[in-house]
Amino acid sequence: MDTGPAIAIRNLVKRYAGFKGGVGKLALDDVSFEVPQGRIFGLLGPNGAGKSTLINILAGMVDKTSGSAEIWGFDIDRDRRNAKAAIGIVPQEIVFDPFFTPAEVLEIQAGLYGVPKALRRTMALLREVHLADKAEAYARTLSGGMKRRLLIAKAMVHSPPVLVLDEPTAGVDVELRQQLWELVRRLNGEGVTVVLTTHYLEEAEELCDRIAIINHGRLIANEATRTLVEMAREKVVVLTLDRDLAEPPQHPAFVKSERTAERTVEITYDTDRMNAGEVLALLQAQGYAIADVVTREPDLEDVFLHLTSAPREVA
Ligand code: ADP
Ligand code: MG
């Protein structure tokens, strides 16, 4: 496969079984998107959005309710073996047998994937994740950061073209986060397509070429990172003015100006170009007196609100 998507997800639905066979949680609600080859793709969403459910379906650890998924052109139902060979998955939870050494962990995993002894890359992989000197240490003696790096090596034993990391940096310190980002970039530089889930907008922004956002099991965006970040740069100031307005005040520097009540306007501005004080000054220069002001910090929630209130084309 040269040009097709690394992963294609079509109309994926997951409803978990409910208590005593009742109707359970709809964790994925008709999700469709494609991950292009060769990139770092981010699947972003708050806790409970359905990210791990989606990854676990790709991993064959959770059964989907309906829809389909292809990995490297292989359907996960019809061509399970090839689909599995094409993907390496780093799960959200760290689980190791504490009495295995990193070298053993990789050898056992290679065995599970049927990698012949002659083709195993145990030491090369350990070097790649900077664990060569820990090859014979017990897993329980490794630091949290070392364990995470070992998990990445473990996911790569069968040299899959696609590597998926489920929340690689949730709860890790800044230094380790930087280390993991560097490792992800290096693997991607070597040609590996990377998919990572995160609930940190900043991480997706830093690392990913493209970002899909899921919220309550629904895909609400699938955009080039730059496009998405520009949305987050827009901030809203909500103003109550001293008199009724026929028209919202306008200025070329405003991204958007909307009258939301008789005396209330919401002005969207680009935080790269101006601040809330300058918005107020422009209005005062036009003769408006301002009775009240509320601003919001841009965050993931804002991007969500923006996206859910103005539905966008999703690929
Ligand atoms: P995320 O990884 O984005 O935090 P998850 O995929 O783990 O989200 O969870 C999505 C939703 O499905 C959540 O509401 C979660 O409680 C629910 N869920 C996850 N796993 C199960 C399960 N095994 N049984 C029932 N509900 C589940
Ligand atoms: Mg998760």
Side-chain angles (χ1 to χ4, degrees):
M1 189 179 88
D2 312 314
T3 54
I7 296 176
I9 293 187
R10 298 201 180 94
N11 306 110
L12 198 61
V13 173
K14 174 61 188 181
R15 188 182 285 283
Y16 284 104
F19 181 63
K20 289 193 172 170
V23 176
K25 174 82 189 173
L26 184 61
L28 293 173
D29 184 3
D30 198 21
V31 170
S32 301
F33 66 91
E34 293 186 348
V35 175
Q37 285 187 37
R39 304 291 181 78
I40 304 181
F41 186 95
L43 185 61
L44 185 67
N47 287 325
K51 304 181 297 296
S52 292
T53 299
L54 194 148
I55 301 309
N56 291 339
I57 289 171
L58 295 178
M61 281 150 50
V62 167
D63 289 330
K64 61 190 162 54
T65 303
S66 61
S68 67
E70 285 178 9
I71 304 167
W72 218 247
F74 301 113
D75 186 278
I76 61 166
D77 295 327
R78 288 196 304 272
D79 223 340
R80 163 59 49 206
R81 183 187 289 262
N82 282 318
K84 201 174 165 216
I87 198 167
I89 297 196
V90 181
Q92 191 170 347
E93 307 298 331
I94 298 183
V95 275
F96 285 121
D97 186 317
F99 295 106
F100 286 131
T101 68
E104 286 167 343
V105 167
L106 298 193
E107 284 292 321
I108 291 164
Q109 184 77 356
L112 287 175
Y113 273 87
V115 181
K117 281 232 154 55
L119 294 181
R120 292 191 189 167
R121 307 187 295 139
T122 297
M123 281 315 293
L125 278 169
L126 289 175
R127 271 194 297 277
E128 179 137 55
V129 299
H130 301 301
L131 287 175
D133 58 328
K134 296 284 174 188
E136 307 304 334
Y138 284 129
R140 69 177 142 79
T141 67
L142 303 180
S143 70
M146 291 172 182
K147 284 181 181 150
R148 280 181 196 262
R149 294 193 327 253
L150 179 56
L151 277 177
I152 294 175
K154 187 179 167 195
M156 294 300 298
V157 291
H158 55 299
S159 309
V162 184
L163 175 67
V164 176
L165 304 121
D166 194 2
E167 305 256 5
T169 64
V172 311
D173 64 30
V174 178
E175 196 183 337
L176 175 55
R177 182 169 302 170
Q178 294 290 345
Q179 260 182 39
L180 292 169
W181 288 359
E182 204 187 299
L183 177 55
V184 165
R185 282 202 188 94
R186 186 146 38 85
L187 289 167
N188 179 246
E190 290 163 9
V192 178
T193 300
V194 177
V195 177
L196 65 93
T197 78
T198 181
H199 60 274
Y200 301 121
L201 181 62
E202 185 200 332
E203 173 160 282
E205 180 177 339
E206 174 75 24
L207 217 50
C208 303
D209 305 297
R210 196 173 178 86
I211 297 173
I213 299 184
I214 54 172
N215 191 26
H216 301 302
R218 303 200 64 138
L219 189 78
I220 59 169
N222 176 10
E223 304 280 350
T225 303
R226 191 138 58 96
T227 310
L228 203 62
V229 166
E230 276 159 13
M231 294 176 189
R233 290 220 172 98
E234 290 175 3
K235 205 165 164 179
V236 179
V237 53
V238 184
L239 299 163
T240 309
L241 304 175
D242 64 330
R243 66 186 116 110
D244 291 359
L245 297 160
E247 298 273 308
Q250 298 295 344
H251 192 279
F254 300 161
V255 174
K256 199 167 76 181
S257 176
E258 268 182 321
R259 200 182 72 120
T260 51
E262 298 286 296
R263 297 186 172 201
T264 314
V265 294
E266 288 198 10
I267 293 174
T268 307
Y269 62 97
D270 186 332
T271 52
D272 278 351
R273 294 179 61 195
M274 60 200 310
N275 59 38
E278 286 163 331
V279 173
L280 302 191
L282 286 173
L283 290 176
Q284 280 158 341
Q286 292 182 12
Y288 294 102
I290 293 150
D292 197 15
V293 185
V294 182
T295 62
R296 294 200 308 260
E297 286 305 311
D299 59 13
L300 199 52
E301 200 63 38
D302 276 325
V303 182
F304 283 152
L305 289 172
H306 185 96
L307 292 167
T308 46
S309 62
R312 301 174 64 87
E313 200 80 29
V314 287

